Amino acid sequence: MQNGGIRLIVCTALATLATGTTVVAGIAAPAHAGRAAVQTVHQAAPAALHGTASGAARGKAPTVAARAAYLFDATTQTQLFGKQATKRMPVASLTKVMTAYVVLREARLDDIVAITAADVKHAATNDATGASLRAGERLTVRDLLYGVMLPSGADASHALARVYGPGDAKFVAKMNAAARSLGLADTRYANPDGLPKPSGGYSTAQDQAKLAEVALGDRTLLTIASTRRYAVPKSKLHRAHTWTNTNKLLGKATGTLGVKTGYTRAAGYCLSFAADRDGHRLIGVILGDSKPDRRFQTATKLLDWGGERISGDGTGTDTGTGTGTGTGTNDKANDKTDGTGGKLSGDA
């Protein structure tokens, strides 16, 4: 999105978080209050303000080795940092943020979805991360959304797309329609999970930050994205499940709210993140890092740096074009493993 104003009307889901499941270390949120309007401006601060913060640390942005990054103050709609922020590239499982957003507009949280063998096979054959679902289990949409967002379950996202498309093709059409309505002009989804087969689609760091802002404006998605651990007790309909959030910022970086991690060979290590600092909500995205933990370290530095700028007198923009010595692209050695012992496609 270019500097200037774009008004986005965002419909939030009319749903409540029902009892019967256990949320550990998450943010308790009240029931949806209804529909709300979100205005997204992302206006860069005047160039004259760049580097005027007191102290050298405030004037110098952190080094970002990833291919692309973006940070903005959602409270004032001011861009704080950008590095190839409008370059189109794969975003891996950050795709699932849109999947969850669409599901919340198509389903009720208490709807029951039956897991099929095809859902389980989808994750297994693509060597993707899953939520350990089994064919024959029946879970609520609410539970499956946690399965999508926390462990980044491709089985859970496949089940939801199958039911609420119905089918991948129709569901992806709904995802792209939502992207257009939200003004995500440089985003195209090809599937509900961001896996590279047959195509993972593309987006930009800036578009994904805009989407994260919208998602966090939905109370259900805010609660899910900021939950560190979620337990589904065993019932007659399903086994017990416990899912841990792959976002290592939660519980460590001050005020962190989520949002989503992602990884594929093509996309590299990705992260959509947000935190509330001094009455401001900072939202950022990192795309294409070549090291799994560095994205969390970089995000922490960006949040701290951004927090210093909004709390002091420095409110300028850093384009970030000169930061970072690495491009974040994977060479052949890195392409063989994710460095964590995890799946080669999906999330890490």
Side-chain angles (χ1 to χ4, degrees), residues 163-210:
V163 173
Y164 293 103
D168 272 10
K170 291 183 179 180
F171 191 85
V172 169
K174 292 176 180 179
M175 294 172 70
N176 285 319
R180 289 191 297 271
S181 71
L182 296 175
L184 309 184
D186 292 306
T187 297
R188 177 185 175 277
Y189 294 105
N191 55 51
D193 43 40
L195 291 170
K197 296 179 181 180
S199 169
Y202 59 79
S203 187
T204 68
Q206 183 168 301
D207 272 9
Q208 287 302 298
K210 290 161 57 179

CSV table of all heavy atoms in Angstrom, one decimal, residues 163-210:
chain,number,residue,atom,x,y,z
A,163,VAL,N,-14.6,-28.0,4.4
A,163,VAL,CA,-16.0,-27.8,4.8
A,163,VAL,C,-16.5,-26.4,4.4
A,163,VAL,O,-17.7,-26.3,4.0
A,163,VAL,CB,-16.1,-28.0,6.3
A,163,VAL,CG1,-17.5,-27.6,6.8
A,163,VAL,CG2,-15.8,-29.5,6.7
A,164,TYR,N,-15.7,-25.4,4.6
A,164,TYR,CA,-16.2,-24.0,4.4
A,164,TYR,C,-15.9,-23.4,3.1
A,164,TYR,O,-16.1,-22.2,2.9
A,164,TYR,CB,-15.8,-23.2,5.6
A,164,TYR,CG,-16.4,-23.7,6.9
A,164,TYR,CD1,-15.7,-24.4,7.8
A,164,TYR,CD2,-17.8,-23.4,7.1
A,164,TYR,CE1,-16.3,-24.9,9.0
A,164,TYR,CE2,-18.4,-23.9,8.3
A,164,TYR,CZ,-17.7,-24.6,9.2
A,164,TYR,OH,-18.3,-25.1,10.3
A,165,GLY,N,-15.3,-24.2,2.2
A,165,GLY,CA,-15.2,-23.7,0.8
A,165,GLY,C,-16.5,-23.7,0.1
A,165,GLY,O,-17.0,-22.6,-0.4
A,166,PRO,N,-17.1,-24.9,-0.1
A,166,PRO,CA,-16.5,-26.1,0.3
A,166,PRO,C,-15.4,-26.6,-0.7
A,166,PRO,O,-15.6,-26.3,-1.9
A,166,PRO,CB,-17.7,-27.1,0.3
A,166,PRO,CG,-18.7,-26.5,-0.7
A,166,PRO,CD,-18.5,-25.0,-0.6
A,167,GLY,N,-14.3,-27.1,-0.2
A,167,GLY,CA,-13.2,-27.5,-1.0
A,167,GLY,C,-12.2,-26.4,-1.1
A,167,GLY,O,-12.5,-25.2,-1.0
A,168,ASP,N,-11.0,-26.8,-1.5
A,168,ASP,CA,-9.8,-25.9,-1.5
A,168,ASP,C,-10.1,-24.7,-2.5
A,168,ASP,O,-9.8,-23.6,-2.2
A,168,ASP,CB,-8.6,-26.6,-1.9
A,168,ASP,CG,-7.8,-27.1,-0.7
A,168,ASP,OD1,-8.4,-27.1,0.4
A,168,ASP,OD2,-6.7,-27.6,-0.8
A,169,ALA,N,-10.5,-25.1,-3.7
A,169,ALA,CA,-10.6,-24.1,-4.8
A,169,ALA,C,-11.6,-22.9,-4.4
A,169,ALA,O,-11.3,-21.8,-4.5
A,169,ALA,CB,-11.1,-24.7,-6.1
A,170,LYS,N,-12.8,-23.3,-3.9
A,170,LYS,CA,-13.7,-22.3,-3.5
A,170,LYS,C,-13.2,-21.5,-2.2
A,170,LYS,O,-13.5,-20.3,-2.1
A,170,LYS,CB,-15.1,-22.9,-3.2
A,170,LYS,CG,-15.8,-23.4,-4.5
A,170,LYS,CD,-17.1,-24.0,-4.2
A,170,LYS,CE,-17.8,-24.4,-5.5
A,170,LYS,NZ,-19.2,-25.0,-5.2
A,171,PHE,N,-12.6,-22.2,-1.3
A,171,PHE,CA,-12.1,-21.6,-0.1
A,171,PHE,C,-11.0,-20.6,-0.5
A,171,PHE,O,-11.0,-19.4,0.0
A,171,PHE,CB,-11.5,-22.6,0.9
A,171,PHE,CG,-11.2,-22.0,2.2
A,171,PHE,CD1,-12.2,-21.9,3.2
A,171,PHE,CD2,-9.9,-21.5,2.5
A,171,PHE,CE1,-12.0,-21.3,4.4
A,171,PHE,CE2,-9.7,-21.0,3.8
A,171,PHE,CZ,-10.7,-20.8,4.7
A,172,VAL,N,-10.1,-20.9,-1.4
A,172,VAL,CA,-9.0,-20.0,-1.8
A,172,VAL,C,-9.6,-18.8,-2.5
A,172,VAL,O,-9.1,-17.7,-2.4
A,172,VAL,CB,-8.0,-20.7,-2.8
A,172,VAL,CG1,-7.1,-19.8,-3.4
A,172,VAL,CG2,-7.2,-21.8,-1.9
A,173,ALA,N,-10.7,-19.0,-3.3
A,173,ALA,CA,-11.4,-17.9,-3.9
A,173,ALA,C,-11.9,-16.9,-2.9
A,173,ALA,O,-11.8,-15.7,-3.0
A,173,ALA,CB,-12.5,-18.4,-4.8
A,174,LYS,N,-12.4,-17.4,-1.7
A,174,LYS,CA,-12.8,-16.6,-0.6
A,174,LYS,C,-11.7,-15.9,0.0
A,174,LYS,O,-11.8,-14.7,0.4
A,174,LYS,CB,-13.6,-17.4,0.4
A,174,LYS,CG,-14.9,-18.0,-0.1
A,174,LYS,CD,-15.6,-18.9,0.9
A,174,LYS,CE,-16.9,-19.4,0.3
A,174,LYS,NZ,-17.6,-20.3,1.3
A,175,MET,N,-10.5,-16.5,0.1
A,175,MET,CA,-9.3,-15.9,0.7
A,175,MET,C,-8.9,-14.7,-0.2
A,175,MET,O,-8.6,-13.6,0.3
A,175,MET,CB,-8.2,-16.9,0.8
A,175,MET,CG,-8.4,-18.0,1.8
A,175,MET,SD,-7.2,-19.3,1.7
A,175,MET,CE,-5.7,-18.5,2.3
A,176,ASN,N,-8.9,-14.9,-1.5
A,176,ASN,CA,-8.4,-13.8,-2.4
A,176,ASN,C,-9.4,-12.7,-2.4
A,176,ASN,O,-9.1,-11.5,-2.6
A,176,ASN,CB,-8.1,-14.4,-3.8
A,176,ASN,CG,-6.8,-15.2,-3.8
A,176,ASN,OD1,-5.8,-14.8,-3.2
A,176,ASN,ND2,-6.8,-16.3,-4.5
A,177,ALA,N,-10.7,-13.0,-2.3
A,177,ALA,CA,-11.8,-12.0,-2.3
A,177,ALA,C,-11.6,-11.2,-1.0
A,177,ALA,O,-11.7,-9.9,-1.0
A,177,ALA,CB,-13.1,-12.6,-2.3
A,178,ALA,N,-11.3,-11.8,0.1
A,178,ALA,CA,-11.1,-11.1,1.4
A,178,ALA,C,-9.8,-10.2,1.2
A,178,ALA,O,-9.8,-9.1,1.7
A,178,ALA,CB,-10.9,-12.1,2.5
A,179,ALA,N,-8.8,-10.7,0.6
A,179,ALA,CA,-7.5,-10.0,0.4
A,179,ALA,C,-7.8,-8.7,-0.4
A,179,ALA,O,-7.4,-7.6,0.0
A,179,ALA,CB,-6.5,-10.8,-0.3
A,180,ARG,N,-8.6,-8.8,-1.4
A,180,ARG,CA,-9.0,-7.6,-2.2
A,180,ARG,C,-9.8,-6.6,-1.4
A,180,ARG,O,-9.6,-5.4,-1.5
A,180,ARG,CB,-9.8,-8.0,-3.5
A,180,ARG,CG,-8.9,-8.8,-4.5
A,180,ARG,CD,-9.7,-8.9,-5.8
A,180,ARG,NE,-10.9,-9.7,-5.7
A,180,ARG,CZ,-10.9,-11.0,-5.8
A,180,ARG,NH1,-9.8,-11.7,-6.1
A,180,ARG,NH2,-12.0,-11.7,-5.7
A,181,SER,N,-10.7,-7.1,-0.6
A,181,SER,CA,-11.6,-6.2,0.2
A,181,SER,C,-10.8,-5.5,1.3
A,181,SER,O,-11.2,-4.4,1.7
A,181,SER,CB,-12.7,-7.0,0.8
A,181,SER,OG,-12.3,-7.9,1.9
A,182,LEU,N,-9.7,-6.1,1.7
A,182,LEU,CA,-8.9,-5.5,2.7
A,182,LEU,C,-7.8,-4.6,2.1
A,182,LEU,O,-6.9,-4.1,2.9
A,182,LEU,CB,-8.2,-6.6,3.6
A,182,LEU,CG,-9.2,-7.4,4.4
A,182,LEU,CD1,-8.5,-8.6,5.2
A,182,LEU,CD2,-10.0,-6.6,5.4
A,183,GLY,N,-7.7,-4.5,0.8
A,183,GLY,CA,-6.7,-3.7,0.2
A,183,GLY,C,-5.3,-4.3,0.1
A,183,GLY,O,-4.3,-3.6,-0.1
A,184,LEU,N,-5.2,-5.6,0.2
A,184,LEU,CA,-4.0,-6.3,0.1
A,184,LEU,C,-3.6,-6.5,-1.4
A,184,LEU,O,-3.8,-7.6,-2.0
A,184,LEU,CB,-4.0,-7.7,0.8
A,184,LEU,CG,-4.5,-7.6,2.3
A,184,LEU,CD1,-4.4,-9.0,2.9
A,184,LEU,CD2,-3.7,-6.5,3.1
A,185,ALA,N,-3.2,-5.5,-2.1
A,185,ALA,CA,-3.1,-5.5,-3.5
A,185,ALA,C,-1.9,-6.4,-4.0
A,185,ALA,O,-2.0,-6.8,-5.2
A,185,ALA,CB,-2.8,-4.1,-4.0
A,186,ASP,N,-1.0,-6.7,-3.2
A,186,ASP,CA,0.2,-7.5,-3.6
A,186,ASP,C,0.1,-8.9,-3.0
A,186,ASP,O,1.2,-9.5,-2.7
A,186,ASP,CB,1.5,-6.8,-3.2
A,186,ASP,CG,1.7,-5.5,-4.0
A,186,ASP,OD1,1.7,-5.6,-5.3
A,186,ASP,OD2,1.9,-4.4,-3.4
A,187,THR,N,-1.1,-9.4,-2.8
A,187,THR,CA,-1.2,-10.7,-2.2
A,187,THR,C,-2.1,-11.6,-3.0
A,187,THR,O,-3.2,-11.1,-3.5
A,187,THR,CB,-1.9,-10.5,-0.8
A,187,THR,OG1,-1.0,-9.8,0.1
A,187,THR,CG2,-2.2,-11.9,-0.2
A,188,ARG,N,-1.7,-12.8,-3.2
A,188,ARG,CA,-2.5,-13.8,-3.9
A,188,ARG,C,-2.3,-15.1,-3.2
A,188,ARG,O,-1.1,-15.6,-3.1
A,188,ARG,CB,-2.1,-13.9,-5.4
A,188,ARG,CG,-2.8,-15.0,-6.1
A,188,ARG,CD,-2.3,-15.2,-7.6
A,188,ARG,NE,-3.0,-16.3,-8.2
A,188,ARG,CZ,-2.7,-17.6,-8.1
A,188,ARG,NH1,-1.6,-17.9,-7.3
A,188,ARG,NH2,-3.3,-18.5,-8.7
A,189,TYR,N,-3.4,-15.7,-2.8
A,189,TYR,CA,-3.3,-17.0,-2.1
A,189,TYR,C,-3.6,-18.1,-3.1
A,189,TYR,O,-4.4,-18.0,-4.0
A,189,TYR,CB,-4.3,-17.1,-1.0
A,189,TYR,CG,-4.0,-16.1,0.1
A,189,TYR,CD1,-4.7,-14.9,0.3
A,189,TYR,CD2,-2.9,-16.4,1.0
A,189,TYR,CE1,-4.4,-14.0,1.3
A,189,TYR,CE2,-2.6,-15.5,2.0
A,189,TYR,CZ,-3.3,-14.3,2.2
A,189,TYR,OH,-3.0,-13.4,3.2
A,190,ALA,N,-2.9,-19.3,-3.0
A,190,ALA,CA,-3.0,-20.4,-3.9
A,190,ALA,C,-3.5,-21.6,-3.1
A,190,ALA,O,-4.0,-22.6,-3.8
A,190,ALA,CB,-1.7,-20.7,-4.5
A,191,ASN,N,-3.5,-21.6,-1.8
A,191,ASN,CA,-4.0,-22.7,-1.0
A,191,ASN,C,-4.2,-22.2,0.4
A,191,ASN,O,-3.8,-21.1,0.7
A,191,ASN,CB,-3.0,-23.9,-1.0
A,191,ASN,CG,-1.6,-23.5,-0.6
A,191,ASN,OD1,-1.4,-22.9,0.4
A,191,ASN,ND2,-0.6,-23.9,-1.4
A,192,PRO,N,-4.9,-23.0,1.3
A,192,PRO,CA,-5.2,-22.5,2.6
A,192,PRO,C,-4.0,-22.6,3.6
A,192,PRO,O,-4.2,-22.2,4.8
A,192,PRO,CB,-6.3,-23.4,3.1
A,192,PRO,CG,-6.8,-24.1,1.8
A,192,PRO,CD,-5.6,-24.2,1.0
A,193,ASP,N,-2.9,-23.1,3.2
A,193,ASP,CA,-1.8,-23.4,4.2
A,193,ASP,C,-0.5,-22.8,3.9
A,193,ASP,O,0.4,-22.9,4.7
A,193,ASP,CB,-1.7,-24.9,4.5
A,193,ASP,CG,-1.8,-25.7,3.3
A,193,ASP,OD1,-1.2,-25.3,2.3
A,193,ASP,OD2,-2.4,-26.8,3.3
A,194,GLY,N,-0.3,-22.3,2.7
A,194,GLY,CA,1.0,-21.7,2.3
A,194,GLY,C,2.0,-22.8,1.8
A,194,GLY,O,3.2,-22.4,1.6
A,195,LEU,N,1.7,-24.0,1.7
A,195,LEU,CA,2.6,-25.0,1.2
A,195,LEU,C,2.9,-24.8,-0.2
A,195,LEU,O,2.1,-24.2,-1.0
A,195,LEU,CB,2.0,-26.4,1.4
A,195,LEU,CG,1.8,-26.9,2.8
A,195,LEU,CD1,1.0,-28.2,2.9
A,195,LEU,CD2,3.2,-27.2,3.5
A,196,PRO,N,4.1,-25.1,-0.7
A,196,PRO,CA,4.6,-24.7,-2.0
A,196,PRO,C,4.0,-25.5,-3.2
A,196,PRO,O,4.3,-25.2,-4.3
A,196,PRO,CB,6.1,-25.0,-1.9
A,196,PRO,CG,6.3,-26.0,-0.9
A,196,PRO,CD,5.2,-25.8,0.1
A,197,LYS,N,3.2,-26.6,-2.9
A,197,LYS,CA,2.7,-27.4,-3.9
A,197,LYS,C,1.2,-27.2,-4.1
A,197,LYS,O,0.5,-27.2,-3.1
A,197,LYS,CB,2.9,-28.9,-3.7
A,197,LYS,CG,4.4,-29.3,-3.7
A,197,LYS,CD,4.6,-30.7,-3.4
A,197,LYS,CE,6.1,-31.1,-3.3
A,197,LYS,NZ,6.2,-32.6,-3.0
A,198,PRO,N,0.7,-26.9,-5.3
A,198,PRO,CA,1.4,-26.7,-6.5
A,198,PRO,C,2.0,-25.3,-6.6
A,198,PRO,O,3.0,-25.0,-7.3
A,198,PRO,CB,0.4,-26.8,-7.6
A,198,PRO,CG,-0.9,-26.4,-6.9
A,198,PRO,CD,-0.8,-26.9,-5.5
A,199,SER,N,1.5,-24.4,-5.8
A,199,SER,CA,2.0,-23.0,-5.7
A,199,SER,C,1.6,-22.5,-4.3
A,199,SER,O,0.5,-22.7,-3.8
A,199,SER,CB,1.5,-22.1,-6.8
A,199,SER,OG,1.8,-20.8,-6.5
A,200,GLY,N,2.6,-21.8,-3.7
A,200,GLY,CA,2.3,-21.2,-2.4
A,200,GLY,C,1.7,-19.8,-2.4
A,200,GLY,O,1.4,-19.3,-1.3
A,201,GLY,N,1.6,-19.3,-3.6
A,201,GLY,CA,1.1,-17.9,-3.7
A,201,GLY,C,2.2,-16.9,-3.3
A,201,GLY,O,3.3,-17.3,-3.1
A,202,TYR,N,1.8,-15.7,-3.0
A,202,TYR,CA,2.7,-14.6,-2.6
A,202,TYR,C,2.0,-13.5,-1.9
A,202,TYR,O,0.8,-13.4,-1.9
A,202,TYR,CB,3.4,-14.1,-3.9
A,202,TYR,CG,2.5,-13.4,-4.9
A,202,TYR,CD1,2.0,-12.1,-4.7
A,202,TYR,CD2,2.2,-14.1,-6.1
A,202,TYR,CE1,1.1,-11.6,-5.6
A,202,TYR,CE2,1.3,-13.5,-7.0
A,202,TYR,CZ,0.8,-12.2,-6.8
A,202,TYR,OH,0.0,-11.7,-7.7
A,203,SER,N,2.8,-12.8,-1.2
A,203,SER,CA,2.4,-11.6,-0.5
A,203,SER,C,3.6,-10.7,-0.2
A,203,SER,O,4.7,-10.9,-0.8
A,203,SER,CB,1.7,-11.9,0.8
A,203,SER,OG,1.0,-10.8,1.4
A,204,THR,N,3.4,-9.7,0.6
A,204,THR,CA,4.5,-8.8,1.0
A,204,THR,C,4.6,-8.6,2.5
A,204,THR,O,3.6,-8.9,3.2
A,204,THR,CB,4.4,-7.4,0.3
A,204,THR,OG1,3.3,-6.7,0.9
A,204,THR,CG2,4.2,-7.5,-1.2
A,205,ALA,N,5.7,-8.2,3.0
A,205,ALA,CA,5.8,-7.9,4.4
A,205,ALA,C,4.7,-6.9,4.8
A,205,ALA,O,4.1,-7.0,5.9
A,205,ALA,CB,7.2,-7.5,4.8
A,206,GLN,N,4.5,-5.8,4.0
A,206,GLN,CA,3.6,-4.8,4.3
A,206,GLN,C,2.2,-5.3,4.3
A,206,GLN,O,1.4,-5.0,5.2
A,206,GLN,CB,3.7,-3.6,3.4
A,206,GLN,CG,2.8,-2.4,3.7
A,206,GLN,CD,3.2,-1.2,2.9
A,206,GLN,OE1,4.3,-0.7,3.0
A,206,GLN,NE2,2.3,-0.7,2.1
A,207,ASP,N,1.8,-6.1,3.3
A,207,ASP,CA,0.4,-6.6,3.2
A,207,ASP,C,0.2,-7.6,4.4
A,207,ASP,O,-0.9,-7.5,5.0
A,207,ASP,CB,0.2,-7.4,1.9
A,207,ASP,CG,-0.2,-6.5,0.8
A,207,ASP,OD1,-0.3,-5.3,1.0
A,207,ASP,OD2,-0.6,-7.1,-0.3
A,208,GLN,N,1.1,-8.4,4.8
A,208,GLN,CA,0.9,-9.3,5.9
A,208,GLN,C,0.8,-8.6,7.2
A,208,GLN,O,0.1,-9.0,8.1
A,208,GLN,CB,2.1,-10.3,6.0
A,208,GLN,CG,2.0,-11.4,4.9
A,208,GLN,CD,0.7,-12.1,4.9
A,208,GLN,OE1,0.4,-12.8,5.9
A,208,GLN,NE2,-0.1,-12.0,3.8
A,209,ALA,N,1.5,-7.4,7.4
A,209,ALA,CA,1.4,-6.6,8.6
A,209,ALA,C,0.0,-6.0,8.6
A,209,ALA,O,-0.7,-5.9,9.7
A,209,ALA,CB,2.4,-5.5,8.6
A,210,LYS,N,-0.6,-5.6,7.5
A,210,LYS,CA,-1.9,-5.0,7.4
A,210,LYS,C,-2.9,-6.1,7.8
A,210,LYS,O,-3.9,-5.9,8.5
A,210,LYS,CB,-2.2,-4.5,6.0
A,210,LYS,CG,-1.5,-3.3,5.6
A,210,LYS,CD,-1.4,-3.0,4.1
A,210,LYS,CE,-2.8,-3.0,3.5
A,210,LYS,NZ,-2.7,-2.7,2.0
